[in-house]
Amino acid sequence: MNADSILNGKCSIIDLNGGNIMGTVKIIQGDITKIKVDAIVNAANTTLLGGGGVDGAIHRAAGPQLLAECRTLHGCETGEAKITKGYLLPAQHVIHTLGPVWQGGTQREAQLLHNSYLNSLKRADENNCATVAFPSISTGVYHYPLKAAAEIALTTIHEFMRKTKVVKEVTMVCFDSATFTTYQQVEQKF
Ligand code: ADP
């Protein structure tokens, strides 16, 4: 992990099963394109052909080969997740997921956001990724309310870490300080 990319940090250890440490959940503030993990997650769009926000930053940093592989995937449904290589990124893989657009909470947004995190973690598990980093899915241009999104993200991650034998460390990479503070506050409940 590039120390320059981290402005703040907090690390919480999930300690389950009579003291055997099952995994680590970290919350940091930084740029996900700088992080050296087995897989970073991209908050992509339905075409998987790049866009703004974190999606644009990941494609810029990974180079054109990422777009070429994404063209072979034929898009992504909301809540689904697909994996590619990381190309020029420090991360080995990119897991592309499509979070829901916030429409007031009446369009199964909570279930779909849960599915985005869960399916991303399943792709990591299937591909032997022990270390995974997420951005705050759907809370940018998709306008999902931040606190509610953080609760879904961290609940889904903690539940999954209790079951997996593959994924050992999940890092939430928060780009701005409001996102970082919110995820830190929600993480205190676990
Ligand atoms: P969505 O369409 O799912 O809302 P966005 O890319 O608009 O996706 O925003 C999701 C989150 O990613 C926002 O909190 C945004 O600030 C953040 N973000 C943008 N660039 C980066 C980056 N390089 N690293 C980590 N997070 C980022």
Side-chain angles (χ1 to χ4, degrees):
M1 198 173 292
N2 181 343
D4 292 337
S5 70
I6 302 167
L7 305 177
N8 274 301
K10 172 182 182 283
C11 178
S12 89
I13 310 272
I14 305 172
D15 186 7
L16 296 169
N17 200 17
N20 293 328
I21 293 177
M22 305 286 284
T24 305
V25 178
K26 291 183 182 174
I27 313 231
I28 65 166
Q29 187 174 351
D31 178 350
I32 202 165
T33 65
K34 302 273 168 43
I35 288 177
K36 187 170 164 56
V37 284
D38 295 329
I40 62 168
V41 178
N42 181 16
N45 63 31
T46 187
T47 65
L48 295 184
L49 300 181
V54 70
D55 193 9
I58 288 172
H59 274 273
R60 278 193 299 278
Q65 285 177 291
L66 178 63
L67 182 60
E69 186 175 356
C70 284
R71 284 193 203 284
T72 69
L73 299 178
H74 307 296
C76 187
E77 300 286 321
T78 308
E80 293 300 318
K82 297 186 177 182
I83 192 164
T84 65
K85 292 184 214 154
Y87 299 100
L88 301 179
L89 290 162
Q92 288 284 309
H93 298 91
V94 181
I95 296 168
H96 307 261
T97 189
L98 178 59
V101 177
W102 180 254
Q103 295 176 78
T106 59
Q107 304 299 311
R108 298 175 54 246
E109 292 97 319
Q111 181 65 50
L112 292 167
L113 188 60
H114 166 76
N115 292 352
S116 274
Y117 280 95
L118 183 60
N119 285 318
S120 298
L121 290 162
K122 284 182 179 170
R123 290 303 88 74
D125 213 72
E126 291 157 7
N127 289 276
N128 276 316
C129 298
T131 54
V132 182
F134 280 93
S136 177
I137 297 165
S138 284
T139 65
V141 296
Y142 285 2
H143 290 301
Y144 205 108
L146 192 50
K147 184 158 179 282
E151 280 166 357
I152 290 168
L154 292 169
T155 302
T156 308
I157 290 165
H158 278 255
E159 278 173 11
F160 193 85
M161 298 289 280
R162 288 184 166 83
K163 293 181 202 143
T164 180
K165 289 192 169 63
V166 175
V167 180
K168 297 288 185 205
E169 184 182 288
V170 175
T171 306
M172 281 302 316
V173 184
C174 304
F175 201 51
D176 57 273
S177 59
T179 302
F180 175 70
T181 306
T182 303
Y183 276 79
Q184 264 200 326
Q185 283 167 354
V186 172
E187 177 68 14
Q188 311 290 338
K189 298 182 194 165
F190 291 91

